[in-house]
Amino acid sequence: MPEGVLRAHAEQQYAAELAAIAAHDDRPRPPGWHLSPWAVTTYLHGGEVDGTPITPKYVGNRRIVEVAVATLATDRALLLLGVPGTAKTWLSEHLAAAISGDSTLLVQGTAGTVEEAIRYGWNYARLLTEGPTDKALVASPVMRAMTEGRLVRVEELTRMPSDVQDALITVLSEKTMPIPELGSQVQARKGFNVIATANDRDRGVNELSSALRRRFNTVVLPVPANAEEEVEIVHRRVTELGRALELPELPPGLDEIRRVVTVFRELREGVTSDGRTRVKSPSATLSPAEAISVVTSGIALAAHFGDGTLRPADIAAGITGAVIQDPVSDRVVWQEYLEAVVRERRDWADFYRACREVSG
């Protein structure tokens, strides 16, 4: 992993694991792939290869990973769909790292994304002096992936304007990108494909046209099936982030991680874990991603301003901020949850007091 880098790319951070898998991967590989589909799935789901432990990158149903990998081995593009925090971006990055050895070919979808991000642009200084030439053309990540036979990631596809989305149709159906200004075209090399992600809460923002949706195989990523699975995800990612940020090492703090996960799941599902009490749900997503952020911030507080042990007071501010996105309606939901649920749990007294102090 590069020295001093805040966040290494997946292929850098897990280079040793990828090398160990590749060294013992004797299964058939699709053209342009660095690993076989079986090896890619092993890298993502974890296991052991000739004594080298492979850490799970995706905690969940193995079949979901297998379907995603199998899709990319065909001429169909892959759309990872799910609510925020279901590891869509994380999974797409690791798929690209394992299959192409490069996860950096990326188009970030926003309301301001222009068509040049999908097709190509121009170096205008050269364009003015030389006219349209190959040297004046600036390739997009999609074009580079086509010429190099790699995967390209398109994040938040539904955030892009519809006309920009539709620039992908010819690429996905014909596997070519016309360049009318040069009277030529780029043809995709074997190994090229597209992994797109979309938030299913964004329906109605810029919905995919039926023509574009037909060119994707959609895999829906669910929220963690149960609390223990979610605790494992949060604990694993918090540990990795702590190392990357060089936070002081603390005791695991599993009790507080479990508390954060419990609160988020109950508020998400609108009912307490024992099924006895209905609660209102806030506008916030409260996904594992937010839980990871809350716990990581709590660890920083405990390390730098506490006694070195993650305690309720260290997570109270973070969890309150995560829940209260709307200062009016969400505050009411949070206060009712504290009084009706948290206050009644005897072993949560410290957490209740800390949250009341933060909430005012």
Side-chain angles (χ1 to χ4, degrees):
M1 191 165 68
E3 190 83 20
V5 171
L6 183 60
R7 185 190 184 280
H9 300 305
E11 60 272 18
Q12 297 170 330
Q13 186 175 356
Y14 296 97
E17 291 185 13
L18 288 167
I21 294 172
H24 296 85
D25 182 17
D26 57 1
R27 302 196 181 208
R29 305 180 187 185
W33 283 39
H34 285 215
L35 298 173
S36 68
W38 175 87
V40 172
T41 303
T42 299
Y43 167 74
L44 288 164
H45 216 261
E48 186 174 304
V49 175
D50 195 37
T52 301
I54 308 301
T55 57
K57 316 304 180 300
Y58 179 77
V59 177
N61 190 332
R62 184 184 179 92
R63 194 62 174 173
I64 289 175
V65 175
E66 291 174 344
V67 170
V69 173
T71 295
L72 294 171
T74 70
D75 64 346
R76 298 277 290 178
L78 174 65
L79 175 63
L80 299 175
L81 185 68
V83 300
T86 47
K88 300 182 296 296
T89 297
W90 180 254
L91 182 56
S92 74
E93 179 183 1
H94 284 282
L95 282 167
I99 292 171
S100 296
D102 181 5
S103 63
T104 63
L105 294 176
L106 171 68
V107 177
Q108 180 61 59
T110 68
T113 301
V114 294
E115 193 172 333
E116 285 79 1
I118 301 293
R119 300 180 71 239
Y120 53 85
W122 297 98
N123 179 326
Y124 287 102
R126 278 194 154 174
L127 187 63
L128 290 172
T129 57
E130 304 172 7
T133 63
D134 287 329
K135 292 183 178 179
L137 186 142
V138 178
S140 70
V142 177
M143 181 180 280
R144 284 186 54 202
M146 295 176 72
T147 58
E148 297 170 12
R150 298 179 183 272
L151 294 181
V152 62
R153 300 159 54 208
V154 181
E155 294 293 320
E156 302 291 354
L157 179 59
T158 51
R159 288 286 176 184
M160 294 180 182
S162 298
D163 57 331
V164 179
Q165 294 176 12
D166 287 345
L168 282 169
I169 291 177
T170 301
V171 171
L172 296 181
S173 60
E174 304 298 327
K175 302 298 187 285
T176 62
M177 183 178 292
I179 310 175
E181 297 89 341
L182 301 180
S184 65
Q185 62 181 359
V186 170
Q187 291 182 285
R189 297 180 63 84
K190 290 181 178 180
F192 166 75
N193 213 328
V194 176
I195 308 174
T197 67
N199 173 358
D200 64 4
R201 287 196 176 185
D202 282 347
R203 290 174 183 169
V205 177
N206 291 302
E207 291 189 22
L208 302 184
S209 66
S210 59
L212 183 56
R213 185 176 283 276
R214 284 198 306 271
R215 286 159 174 82
F216 283 100
N217 188 31
T218 301
V219 173
V220 178
L221 299 185
V223 295
N226 54 63
E228 288 308 311
E229 185 177 291
E230 191 164 347
V231 168
E232 181 185 350
I233 293 169
V234 174
H235 181 245
R236 189 182 301 279
R237 287 291 295 131
V238 165
T239 301
E240 292 172 351
L241 277 172
R243 291 198 197 103
L245 298 172
E246 298 185 21
L247 292 174
E249 288 193 22
L250 300 184
L254 279 173
D255 287 343
E256 296 311 319
I257 292 175
R258 190 167 284 107
R259 196 193 314 270
V260 173
V261 167
T262 298
V263 170
F264 280 13
R265 289 183 71 87
E266 289 180 339
L267 288 171
R268 273 201 320 255
E269 296 169 4
V271 64
T272 55
S273 54
D274 58 11
R276 294 179 180 178
T277 306
R278 304 292 300 180
V279 298
K280 295 178 182 176
S281 296
S283 60
T285 306
L286 303 182
S287 68
E290 281 92 344
I292 291 164
S293 177
V294 168
V295 175
T296 302
S297 297
I299 288 173
L301 279 171
H304 298 298
F305 302 102
D307 61 3
T309 299
L310 187 62
R311 300 188 184 282
D314 300 315
I315 63 171
I319 203 168
T320 300
V323 173
I324 302 177
Q325 298 296 305
D326 183 300
V328 178
S329 62
D330 288 346
R331 185 175 294 278
V332 172
V333 170
W334 181 233
Q335 296 290 353
E336 289 182 0
Y337 178 79
L338 287 176
E339 297 303 322
V341 178
V342 176
R343 187 178 183 180
E344 300 303 315
R345 291 174 174 163
R346 294 181 181 178
D347 54 341
W348 284 33
D350 290 345
F351 178 68
Y352 171 76
R353 285 192 295 269
C355 289
R356 289 294 300 174
E357 183 179 336
V358 170
S359 302

